[in-house]
Amino acid sequence: MALNVELIAGPGREQMPQPFDGEVFILSRDGLALEISHGPTRRPPMKGVLYVTNMRMVLVVDSKHIATAQCESMELPFQGIEEESFNQPIFGTNNLSGRCKPYDNQPFHGEIRFRLKFYEGGVGTFLPIFNSVLGATRRILYQRRQQQQQGSVQDMPQQTLTNQVISGQFQQSAYVDPSDPTRLYVTQPLSSSVRQRTSTAHVPFYP
């Protein structure tokens, strides 16, 4: 998890996370809020637009709520997400909760828990895509652990999910829930010239 990641102006001048090399955008969604607690500390809710890529989820805080949220963005890398659960309370908002590990040199302490609240529409499109990317990430993690235990130095297998996103196959096969306001990116919203490179403090891997 990381606070205030690098942002860049999108095609409509909206703020978007600046992508890493190898990172591709899958979807975006607004009408939600992210709540974070770490140790005894509970951060103010962050309302804005959520971007999901093949590496991470990034909540970009709406400009009207930056003062309240006390930050501009929050990143949840798929490689750090654990104990995820989709919750449908009888009274309250549908939400996705879980834990997320922080990167080094981040202002968090203790166990970090998140809750992503969906205030508008359903999740029939969003949730299967989230599960697909998280599952692909975990398969890569498992393969890496197996290689380390075996002392193998083989290259990782071809990044299947990323190639499917780039070709549009992944988006075309996604279920489209009419009640879900999720926006799928059939083409990439940013050019390759704006990508972050090796100067970044952390780079999530991708499946």
Side-chain angles (χ1 to χ4, degrees), residues 6 20 196-203:
E6 294 185 57
F20 294 105
Q196 302 182 45
R197 300 193 184 277
T198 54
S199 60
T200 54
H202 60 269
V203 181

Side-chain angles (χ1 to χ4, degrees), residues 2-200:
L3 183 69
N4 290 330
V5 298
E6 294 185 57
L7 303 176
I8 192 170
R13 307 308 298 170
E14 71 278 18
Q15 290 290 95
M16 302 179 67
Q18 186 174 9
F20 294 105
D21 279 338
E23 185 171 22
V24 289
F25 287 88
I26 299 175
L27 64 83
S28 63
R29 174 165 178 158
D30 57 12
L32 43 70
L34 177 63
E35 298 177 351
I36 299 290
S37 64
H38 52 106
T41 304
R42 184 179 297 274
R43 294 188 59 86
M46 293 163 274
K47 298 180 180 180
V49 179
L50 183 74
Y51 292 90
V52 176
T53 77
N54 58 332
M55 295 183 177
R56 54 185 175 157
M57 298 193 295
V58 179
L59 191 287
V60 177
V61 179
D62 188 289
S63 59
K64 302 188 296 293
H65 300 291
I66 289 177
T68 302
Q70 301 175 13
C71 67
E72 295 184 352
S73 64
M74 184 73 73
E75 172 190 315
L76 288 81
F78 281 104
Q79 68 195 66
I81 293 177
E82 300 176 336
E83 298 180 11
E84 70 284 353
S85 174
F86 179 65
N87 312 294
Q88 296 178 289
I90 297 175
F91 301 104
T93 306
N94 290 348
N95 62 86
L96 179 66
S97 63
R99 295 195 308 159
C100 190
K101 298 176 182 177
Y103 292 110
D104 294 335
N105 302 317
Q106 289 292 322
F108 305 115
H109 53 85
E111 182 180 72
I112 302 175
R113 291 200 167 270
F114 69 87
R115 189 174 299 275
L116 190 61
K117 293 187 172 182
F118 301 89
Y119 288 107
E120 298 178 7
V123 294
T125 300
F126 176 89
L127 199 58
I129 291 176
F130 167 83
N131 288 330
S132 292
V133 181
L134 184 59
T137 301
R138 286 175 174 167
R139 286 191 292 273
I140 294 293
L141 277 173
Y142 175 78
Q143 292 167 355
R144 287 187 172 185
R145 285 195 297 268
Q146 291 293 101
Q147 288 191 3
Q148 290 173 354
Q149 291 172 2
Q150 297 168 4
S152 172
V153 293
Q154 298 176 8
D155 291 335
M156 293 304 298
Q158 187 177 16
Q159 315 295 358
T160 305
L161 184 142
T162 298
N163 291 337
Q164 290 177 345
V165 172
I166 293 172
S167 69
Q169 179 183 352
F170 183 85
Q171 299 89 321
Q172 291 169 5
S173 63
Y175 171 70
V176 177
D177 178 359
S179 70
D180 187 334
T182 292
R183 175 188 176 186
L184 295 174
Y185 290 106
V186 179
T187 59
Q188 290 302 296
L190 298 172
S191 71
S192 58
S193 63
V194 300
R195 297 187 181 278
Q196 302 182 45
R197 300 193 184 277
T198 54
S199 60
T200 54

